[in-house]
């Protein structure tokens, strides 16, 4: 999974990226200090693996991971190549979802590219640039598909007419400043929409970057957060409240110190943890687990994945030679205290090729190649 961190210059993108990846991306108080996207791989925290490790005493523990990409700050006119617009748009096309950092704090020492802090204006600036880029993409799609209407095959012609109809609906929505992700489509239509690779079709999480004083209350008393929240609700998107500076401090601490510091701040989990959870929900992802002496590991799959395809995440040979999956839920395994105890109680299930994997399935695949 690849998440792109975007936002206007100087809103805290690179600071947040530094914090969650500890990758040391350049961060400075001037626009465009991030020219090429910085990339960092982040392990996904999963307390279940620690509990399985206590049970199995494995040689190693392997967490699943997310790739974060810190993309250059965007300005008005990016869709026409202003600033680093063309690079910005190209890098966004490569990510699975967008994390848009929105500045929700005042600081006279940190310049804002528009001269003042305004979440609504900032979000609209980025949305409009992505919409302009999508409109240009659609124009080309419609023009190209229209040329195919001369085909003799009536079935193909009907298909192309349907595609043009969908593109025109999207175009009308974009012209009303509605991102593609806010429009409604059937499953068949979604497949066609996905083939257009539109920027505003990508799932988005808004990260409200607040001062430390606003963190404990989730920005409840911050009018800038309220302003952003109202926009997010209209769009039906996701939002987390975080402090890039605090995340930077948390990143330097050991696990025990981190928990104590979060407690002192009056928050239960870090912004990174919240961001990862929201990302999983947004992209429809879950994790199944494998456990044994050699390794305890989490594997990320899409909701609805069947057992053989999940096995393929481990190795293509296991999918090809899939016989069955032996599965016990994580909760049942921990409650029983051991795999054998769970088996004696009939909690280890034999599942076949049509079984749909569930989050937290502790799985042993049987296969023959």
């Amino acid at each position: 999974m690849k998440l792109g961190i975007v936002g206007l210059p100087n809103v805290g993108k690179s600071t947040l990226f530094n914090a969650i990846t500890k990758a040391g991306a350049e961060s400075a108080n001037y626009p465009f200090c991030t020219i090429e996207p910085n990339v960092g791989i982040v392990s996904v925290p999963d307390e279940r693996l620690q509990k399985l490790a206590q049970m199995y005493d494995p040689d190693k523990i392997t967490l699943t991971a997310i790739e974060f990409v810190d993309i250059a700050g965007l300005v008005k006119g990016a869709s026409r190549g202003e600033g680093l617009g063309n690079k910005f748009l190209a890098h966004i096309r490569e990510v699975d979802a967008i994390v848009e950092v929105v500045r929700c704090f005042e600081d006279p020492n940190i310049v804002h590219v528009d001269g003042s802090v305004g979440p609504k204006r900032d979000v609209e600036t980025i949305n409009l640039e992505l919409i302009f880029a999508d409109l240009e993409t659609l124009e080309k799609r419609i023009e190209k598909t229209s040329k195919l209407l001369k085909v003799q095959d009536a079935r193909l012609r009907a298909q192309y007419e349907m595609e043009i109809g969908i593109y025109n609906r999207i175009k009308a929505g974009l012209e009303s400043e509605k991102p593609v992700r806010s429009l409604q489509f059937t499953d068949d239509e979604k497949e066609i929409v996905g083939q257009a690779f539109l920027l505003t079709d990508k799932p988005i999480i808004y990260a409200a970057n607040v001062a430390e004083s606003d963190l404990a209350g989730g920005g409840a008393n911050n009018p800038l957060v309220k302003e952003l929240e109202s926009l997010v609700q209209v769009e039906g998107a996701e939002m987390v409240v975080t402090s890039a500076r605090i995340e930077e401090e948390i990143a330097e601490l050991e696990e025990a110190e981190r928990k104590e510091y979060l407690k002192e701040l009056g928050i239960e989990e870090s912004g990174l943890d919240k961001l990862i959870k929201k990302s999983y929900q947004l992209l429809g992802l879950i994790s199944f687990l494998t456990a044994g002496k050699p390794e305890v590991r989490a594997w990320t799959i899409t909701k609805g994945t069947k057992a053989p395809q999940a096995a393929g995440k481990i190795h293509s040979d296991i999918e090809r030679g899939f016989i069955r999956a032996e599965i016990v839920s994580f909760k049942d395994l921990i409650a029983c205290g051991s795999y054998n105890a769970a088996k004696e109680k009939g909690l280890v299930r034999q599942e076949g090729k049509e079984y749909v994997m569930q989050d937290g399935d502790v799985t042993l695949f049987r296969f023959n190649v």
Side-chain angles (χ1 to χ4, degrees):
M1 176 167 62
K2 186 184 287 188
L3 302 180
I5 302 179
V6 306
L8 295 178
N10 299 341
V11 297
K13 297 186 326 307
S14 294
T15 303
L16 182 62
F17 176 82
N18 289 346
I20 60 182
T21 66
K22 300 181 186 177
E26 184 182 3
S27 178
N29 186 22
Y30 57 91
F32 310 129
C33 79
T34 309
I35 296 176
E36 293 300 331
N38 295 289
V39 178
I41 307 296
V42 179
S43 294
V44 176
D46 195 332
E47 293 182 356
R48 297 175 300 190
L49 294 187
Q50 299 303 324
K51 291 181 179 178
L52 288 175
Q54 292 171 9
M55 186 181 294
Y56 286 89
D57 188 26
D59 296 330
K60 68 176 180 176
I61 300 172
T62 305
L63 300 165
T64 189
I66 290 179
E67 186 174 331
F68 281 93
V69 183
D70 180 25
I71 299 171
L74 174 121
V75 293
K76 289 177 183 175
S79 58
R80 302 187 304 275
E82 294 292 332
L84 297 165
N86 292 331
K87 283 190 175 183
F88 175 91
L89 298 172
H91 294 319
I92 285 187
R93 291 189 195 282
E94 296 171 2
V95 302
D96 299 307
I98 298 168
V99 177
E100 184 172 332
V101 182
V102 183
R103 181 170 163 180
C104 293
F105 66 90
E106 300 281 0
D107 188 334
N109 296 315
I110 301 178
V111 299
H112 190 288
V113 72
D114 285 327
S116 63
V117 180
K120 183 175 185 293
R121 180 201 59 220
D122 291 359
V123 168
E124 287 175 349
T125 295
I126 289 184
N127 274 349
L128 280 173
E129 293 307 322
L130 299 184
I131 282 171
F132 290 151
D134 279 351
L135 282 169
E136 185 178 339
T137 299
L138 275 176
E139 291 286 358
K140 292 176 182 176
R141 278 258 167 188
I142 291 170
E143 183 182 350
K144 183 179 178 181
T145 309
S146 294
K147 292 177 180 177
L148 299 174
L149 291 176
K150 297 175 183 177
V151 70
Q152 295 297 314
D153 190 316
R155 185 181 58 82
L156 281 176
R157 194 164 57 250
Q159 172 69 23
Y160 296 141
E161 286 172 351
M162 182 183 70
E163 288 180 13
I164 291 171
I166 292 170
Y167 295 151
N168 280 321
R169 272 171 51 202
I170 296 171
K171 185 180 175 184
L174 291 173
E175 287 171 343
S176 299
E177 298 184 11
K178 293 178 181 177
V180 178
R181 60 181 164 270
S182 69
L183 305 176
Q184 299 298 314
F185 302 101
T186 65
D187 289 342
D188 288 341
E189 288 172 340
K190 283 178 183 176
E191 193 171 331
I192 293 168
V193 174
Q195 292 169 2
F197 301 105
L198 299 170
L199 300 176
T200 63
D201 189 32
K202 291 184 181 293
I204 190 166
I205 300 173
Y206 292 99
N209 188 15
V210 302
E212 179 184 344
S213 56
D214 287 323
L215 198 55
N221 298 317
N222 183 327
L224 297 172
V225 172
K226 290 290 183 187
E227 186 179 315
L228 177 60
E229 201 168 31
S230 63
L231 281 174
V232 171
Q233 287 172 349
V234 169
E235 193 178 314
E238 296 285 351
M239 172 177 149
V240 298
V241 176
T242 187
S243 168
R245 288 296 177 196
I246 293 298
E247 288 298 315
E248 206 167 33
E249 292 176 18
I250 291 171
E252 298 300 322
L253 303 175
E254 297 296 328
E255 185 63 30
E257 294 175 316
R258 188 178 295 137
K259 288 182 179 179
E260 187 61 34
Y261 187 38
L262 290 174
K263 190 176 178 182
E264 288 174 12
L265 291 171
I267 55 179
E268 294 182 358
E269 57 184 349
S270 71
L272 172 60
D273 288 351
K274 289 188 285 188
L275 198 54
I276 288 173
K277 285 180 181 177
K278 290 285 187 185
S279 301
Y280 264 61
Q281 291 170 13
L282 198 64
L283 294 171
L285 302 175
I286 60 171
S287 295
F288 73 91
L289 314 169
T290 54
K293 177 59 181 170
E295 182 182 38
V296 164
R297 182 164 181 167
W299 304 83
T300 300
I301 54 174
T302 305
K303 280 182 184 176
T305 299
K306 293 183 178 179
Q309 287 69 52
K313 283 284 182 180
I314 301 174
H315 198 286
S316 58
D317 284 349
I318 305 179
E319 179 178 0
R320 187 161 54 88
F322 179 89
I323 298 172
R324 67 179 182 275
E326 295 179 7
I327 293 174
V328 56
S329 76
F330 170 78
K331 288 182 180 178
D332 285 343
L333 179 58
I334 295 301
C336 292
S338 73
Y339 186 83
N340 286 337
K343 201 167 187 178
E344 287 173 5
K345 291 185 178 181
L347 296 172
V348 177
R349 311 184 311 275
Q350 308 289 320
E351 302 289 359
K353 292 182 178 180
E354 294 305 309
Y355 175 72
V356 176
M357 300 293 290
Q358 302 298 309
D359 187 55
D361 277 348
V362 181
T363 309
L364 173 64
F365 292 109
R366 301 291 185 185
F367 68 102
N368 182 32
V369 177

